[in-house]
Amino acid sequence: MSGAVKGLLGVAALLVLAGPVSGVVEQDCALPGADCTLAETARQAGVFVGAAIGSPDLPAEQATIPPDFNSITAENAMKWGELAPTVGSYDFADADAIADFAASAGVRLRGHTLLWKDQLPADLEDTVEAATDPVAKLRELIDEHLSTVVPRYRDVVAVWDVVNEPLQPFTGDLDLNI
């Protein structure tokens, strides 16, 4: 066996011991002239670059998200009023599609948002006001909502926006209408 062949076998053995070739030849995105996608650069820097998406079925999202973003946020599909148009009546189709897309694309998913005053079940206010103890009823419904949604997405949602916009925009006071 020639010395060149022995040398190549030695390099091949080192590559096998080192692990997958992709790990060996990965470029450093911080170097000038590196040809990295935005998502790869962010991953190497340890940060997330994200986009809000309404539907993973749109061609632009399918083509753009994986190379350019390493995180997505469900724009509306995970808001209470979208998940449950009426109290206790859930439709997870859109949220599940976004969760499935995030998992298949290998991007982090941010759940947005569990509670927000502007997208609630249509009958929430009437249901709460009709209760003998409206405060207790609202707490019960919020608890049921959180207990329904959070476990469903436990394995795919990395982080949740729990309460969106709890403060008045100009005064900073607590917005009691949430």
Side-chain angles (χ1 to χ4, degrees):
M1 189 178 309
S2 75
V5 171
K6 285 182 184 177
L8 287 174
L9 288 175
V11 169
L14 284 175
L15 289 174
V16 168
L17 292 174
V21 174
S22 64
V24 175
V25 296
E26 182 178 286
Q27 64 178 315
D28 184 347
C29 296
L31 294 176
D35 186 28
C36 297
T37 66
L38 180 59
E40 180 62 17
T41 303
R43 187 190 65 73
Q44 285 186 17
V47 299
F48 292 101
V49 176
I53 67 168
S55 171
D57 297 329
L58 302 174
E61 277 80 356
Q62 293 175 355
T64 305
I65 298 296
D68 291 333
F69 301 99
N70 60 354
S71 179
I72 60 172
T73 300
E75 185 175 23
N76 289 304
M78 292 185 166
K79 292 178 179 165
W80 194 357
E82 295 293 318
L83 287 172
T86 58
V87 172
S89 175
Y90 285 88
D91 178 358
F92 292 105
D94 290 343
D96 284 355
I98 290 173
D100 291 345
F101 174 72
S104 68
V107 298
R108 180 187 78 158
L109 177 59
R110 179 181 200 101
H112 178 76
T113 181
L114 290 167
L115 302 171
W116 185 39
K117 65 180 180 177
D118 287 342
Q119 283 180 286
L120 298 167
D123 60 342
L124 180 67
E125 189 173 342
D126 292 339
T127 303
V128 169
E129 287 178 2
T132 55
D133 185 347
V135 172
K137 183 64 175 179
L138 181 57
R139 285 185 178 147
E140 173 191 329
L141 293 172
I142 289 172
D143 185 54
E144 286 174 8
H145 174 64
L146 300 180
S147 298
T148 299
V149 176
V150 173
R152 182 180 186 91
Y153 298 106
R154 175 175 283 124
D155 294 334
V156 68
V157 171
V159 61
W160 279 101
D161 295 333
V162 178
V163 178
N164 191 38
E165 300 174 358
L167 303 176
Q168 290 287 340
F170 297 107
T171 65
D173 294 335
L174 184 62
D175 187 343
L176 298 177
N177 295 315
I178 56 172

